[in-house]
């Protein structure tokens, strides 16, 4: 099947014009796409089925990633913007898992549970920031159990993910989506973020992508500790 050209995205324009380094551009997309999508959630109605309309956005991006990753859509600039080495098959791993997590968070948690907020916050604001900070400040002080990662990167993951999660929970509480005791919520977020940061630091990324391991451990902890940590 002939490949079909695909419209360019803003992140491609930034990296293809040399305004932002490709690695940094990719990580900025990683950090900002998820929270940018969640900031649109209040635009949807209070109808029970609103989440399914919101889910159209990650579904379309899922289609985009699959069409680009399989080569049905031929768009080297977008592939370069979303991949490490410019190999379109990469899109069928990290980016695909990333979009699947956003789709699952939208459908399962939506605006009804703070667990969903913590899931995408640690994947986007945590894991995404870990890369940027770790590459720049993590040359020394590597982790004893994983020499490819650093205390600086893990610290950025914990702080960035926790801050994004607490900010979104405070916003959603102010919008009346769920009641919450911010002090207790912050303690719960910090606990989950610490465990997720430890999981992300383990040398398992070749076998289990951290766009799956981090959201997975957050969702599991959110379920197991639902009455203790993020009761809403
Ligand atoms: C490059 C990305 C992930 C790779 O992660 P890793 O392998 O480096 O750990 C991010 C992929 C972004 C995705 C294709 C686009 C997601 C768009 C989102 C569903 C909707 C955005 C809405 C907009 C911000 C209003
Ligand atoms: N905890 C961490 C995570 C990443 N990093 C840095 O960021 C780079 C990319 O991390 P990664 O392989 O987890 O990247 P992604 O799978 O998150 O895209 C690593 O090679 C490190 O240089 C770090 O120093 N500490």
């Amino acid at each position: 099947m002939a490949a079909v050209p695909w419209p360019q995205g803003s992140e491609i324009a930034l990296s293809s014009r040399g305004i932002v380094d490709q690695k940094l551009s990719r990580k900025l997309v990683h950090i900002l796409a998820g929270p940018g999508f969640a900031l649109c959630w209040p635009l949807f109605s209070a109808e029970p089925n609103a989440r399914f309309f919101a889910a159209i956005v990650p579904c379309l991006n899922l289609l985009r990633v699959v069409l680009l990753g399989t080569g049905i859509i031929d768009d080297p600039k977008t592939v370069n913007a979303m991949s490490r080495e410019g190999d379109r098959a990469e899109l069928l791993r990290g980016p695909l898992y990333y979009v699947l997590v956003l789709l699952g968070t939208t459908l399962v948690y939506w605006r009804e549970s703070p667990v969903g907020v913590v899931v995408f916050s640690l994947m986007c604001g945590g894991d995404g920031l870990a890369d940027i900070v770790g590459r720049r400040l993590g040359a020394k002080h590597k982790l004893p159990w994983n020499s490819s990662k650093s205390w600086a990167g893990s610290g950025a993951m914990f702080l960035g993910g926790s801050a994004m999660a607490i900010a979104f929970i405070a916003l959603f509480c102010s919008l009346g989506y769920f009641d919450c005791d911010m002090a207790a919520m912050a303690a719960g977020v910090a606990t989950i973020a610490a465990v997720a940061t430890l999981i992300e630091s383990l040398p398992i990324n070749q076998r289990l992508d951290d766009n799956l391991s981090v959201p997975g451990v957050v969702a599991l902890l959110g379920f197991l500790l639902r009455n203790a940590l993020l009761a809403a």
Side-chain angles (χ1 to χ4, degrees), residues 26-27 30 84 127-128 130-135 138 142-143 148-154 157 200-201 205 209-211:
R26 181 172 181 277
K27 275 302 148 183
H30 185 139
R84 291 184 180 81
D127 181 38
D131 182 312
I132 292 178
V133 172
R135 287 182 192 276
K142 296 295 186 184
L143 297 176
S148 70
K149 298 198 175 180
S150 64
W151 290 106
S154 292
M157 165 144 185
E200 190 276 341
S201 73
N205 204 23
D209 194 289
D210 50 25
N211 287 342

Side-chain angles (χ1 to χ4, degrees), residues 46-101:
E47 289 299 314
N49 292 334
R51 74 180 72 192
F52 298 108
F53 290 97
I56 292 171
V57 174
C59 282
L60 289 175
N61 279 276
L62 181 62
L63 178 63
R64 178 190 186 208
V65 164
V66 169
L67 290 175
L68 286 167
T70 54
I72 294 172
I73 298 283
D74 178 32
D75 186 343
K77 280 187 177 178
T78 302
V79 170
N80 286 333
M82 283 203 268
S83 63
R84 291 184 180 81
E85 310 297 337
D87 175 6
R88 60 176 162 81
E90 281 185 53
L91 272 61
L92 302 179
R93 294 190 294 273
L96 177 66
Y97 305 148
Y98 181 99
V99 178
L100 285 172
V101 167

Side-chain angles (χ1 to χ4, degrees), residues 83-191:
S83 63
R84 291 184 180 81
E85 310 297 337
D87 175 6
R88 60 176 162 81
E90 281 185 53
L91 272 61
L92 302 179
R93 294 190 294 273
L96 177 66
Y97 305 148
Y98 181 99
V99 178
L100 285 172
V101 167
L102 291 180
L103 176 59
T105 305
T106 305
L107 295 175
V108 173
Y109 300 107
W110 186 227
R111 303 181 311 211
E112 295 165 357
S113 166
V115 175
V117 167
V118 184
V119 166
F120 74 72
S121 294
L122 283 164
M123 180 179 73
C124 303
D127 181 38
L129 193 63
D131 182 312
I132 292 178
V133 172
R135 287 182 192 276
R136 284 158 179 77
L137 305 180
K140 298 178 183 169
H141 308 303
K142 296 295 186 184
L143 297 176
W145 58 89
N146 186 353
S147 58
S148 70
K149 298 198 175 180
S150 64
W151 290 106
S154 292
M157 165 144 185
F158 175 79
L159 294 174
S162 300
M164 185 179 285
I166 290 169
F168 266 96
I169 287 172
L171 171 66
F172 284 9
C173 284
S174 69
L175 293 172
Y177 297 156
F178 33 79
D179 298 323
C180 50
D181 167 350
M182 281 313 297
M185 198 66 84
V189 166
T191 303

Side-chain angles (χ1 to χ4, degrees), residues 8 17 21 39 78 106 139 145 154 159 214 222 227 230:
Q8 302 293 334
R17 291 175 180 159
D21 162 71
L39 283 175
T78 302
T106 305
W145 58 89
S154 292
L159 294 174
V214 169
N227 296 322
L230 298 174

